[in-house]
Amino acid sequence: DIVMTQSPDSLAVSLGERATINCRSSQSVLYSSNNKNYLAWYQQKPGQPPKLLISWASTRESGVPDRISGSGSGTDFTLTISSLQAEDVAVYYCQQHYGSPTFGQGTKVEIK
Amino acid sequence: EVQLVESGGGLVQPGGSLRLSCAASGFTLSNYGMNWVRQTPVKGLEWISYISNTGGTIYYADSVKGRFTISRDYAKNSLYLIMNSLRIEDTALYYCVRDVCGGSSCFYDSWGQGTQVAVSS
């Protein structure tokens, strides 16, 4: 299985500041035939199921604020919240679907 | 509005069985691949099974292969997971999850609220 490793495990950011979450896969999740990265990002708030934010590493889902963005390719990916808002407090997960789907361990984002 | 409502969880002894159900509304289940994903505080999120929109393609994680069976009922617009030979490590919150892609498990745009399964003697 492809192992997904996120860093850091948690971070505290001041309101309005940038939050950056990293995700590394144990092997490339870039499918060469279509040049797509098989990588998604989710947000999970307490007591709720995960919510899809980003697909194909950088495609924002409908309704997701544009302060949230995804980037990266191959084995290294980043989720960026450009200006942290109170409603962004959550745990964020990356997930690959290049092989049998696997998730990162999660990164908890809090307000400093 | 898309809704997925799981049921059937509960407390069961090791070696026992459970049948989870997922009632879908707001969309036609036969148009989508569906998955079961489970979550624990220790292991996090774990994909465990996928069934294609036609039911012709089914995948399982190695951790449940041979013990769990996924199925769907088009008439009832429902998804099921039959879990046999349950182990303590199967204790988790089980989510019914809608797949975006066709053909294989991909990423997931709709999740139920989950049903809790506890395996304990």
Side-chain angles (χ1 to χ4, degrees):
Chain A
D1 282 358
I2 298 174
V3 176
M4 307 301 290
T5 304
Q6 293 180 226
S7 62
D9 289 335
S10 65
L11 74 160
V13 175
S14 300
L15 288 172
E17 296 300 305
R18 179 184 298 262
T20 302
I21 301 168
N22 301 300
C23 174
R24 175 166 289 175
S25 55
S26 60
Q27 65 184 75
S28 177
V29 298
L30 174 62
Y31 195 43
S32 56
S33 66
N34 59 13
N35 202 38
K36 284 189 170 184
N37 287 284
Y38 283 39
L39 190 286
W41 288 97
Y42 300 85
Q43 174 194 67
Q44 187 175 31
K45 296 182 179 180
Q48 296 183 20
K51 172 190 173 184
L52 179 65
L53 297 176
I54 302 281
S55 58
W56 308 115
S58 60
T59 301
R60 198 181 296 114
E61 293 299 300
S62 175
V64 174
D66 58 10
R67 65 177 181 275
I68 296 177
S69 63
S71 62
S73 185
T75 61
D76 290 284
F77 301 90
T78 300
L79 182 75
T80 302
I81 306 172
S82 60
S83 175
L84 191 76
Q85 304 300 305
E87 60 264 33
D88 300 329
V89 169
V91 179
Y92 293 82
Y93 296 93
C94 60
Q95 176 232 335
Q96 66 78 25
H97 52 95
Y98 184 92
S100 187
T102 52
F103 293 84
Q105 81 277 16
T107 296
K108 187 175 185 179
V109 174
E110 300 173 305
I111 305 293
K112 185 187 292 183
Chain B
E1 180 192 4
V2 172
Q3 272 202 316
L4 297 165
V5 179
E6 303 94 337
S7 60
L11 176 62
V12 61
Q13 291 188 335
S17 299
L18 277 177
R19 182 198 194 219
L20 305 185
S21 300
C22 170
S25 60
F27 71 103
T28 303
L29 203 65
S30 58
N31 291 337
Y32 290 86
M34 296 295 295
N35 302 264
W36 289 96
V37 174
R38 66 187 181 186
Q39 185 172 29
T40 67
V42 173
K43 292 185 69 176
L45 290 162
E46 180 187 16
W47 168 84
I48 58 171
S49 188
Y50 165 84
I51 184 167
S52 64
N53 62 323
T54 64
T57 300
I58 288 175
Y59 299 117
Y60 298 100
D62 288 344
S63 58
V64 305
K65 199 173 295 181
R67 300 187 298 122
F68 290 12
T69 302
I70 192 171
S71 64
R72 57 199 305 163
D73 184 325
Y74 296 102
K76 294 183 178 179
N77 218 36
S78 293
L79 178 73
Y80 304 99
L81 185 69
I82 297 173
M83 305 187 295
N84 294 322
S85 303
L86 281 161
R87 305 168 180 167
I88 290 173
E89 56 264 33
D90 294 319
T91 295
L93 183 64
Y94 283 73
Y95 291 107
C96 169
V97 176
R98 190 175 79 169
D99 207 279
V100 173
C101 307
S104 65
S105 191
C106 182
F107 51 91
Y108 318 124
D109 68 345
S110 295
W111 298 60
Q113 289 297 313
T115 186
Q116 183 68 45
V117 171
V119 184
S120 175
S121 53

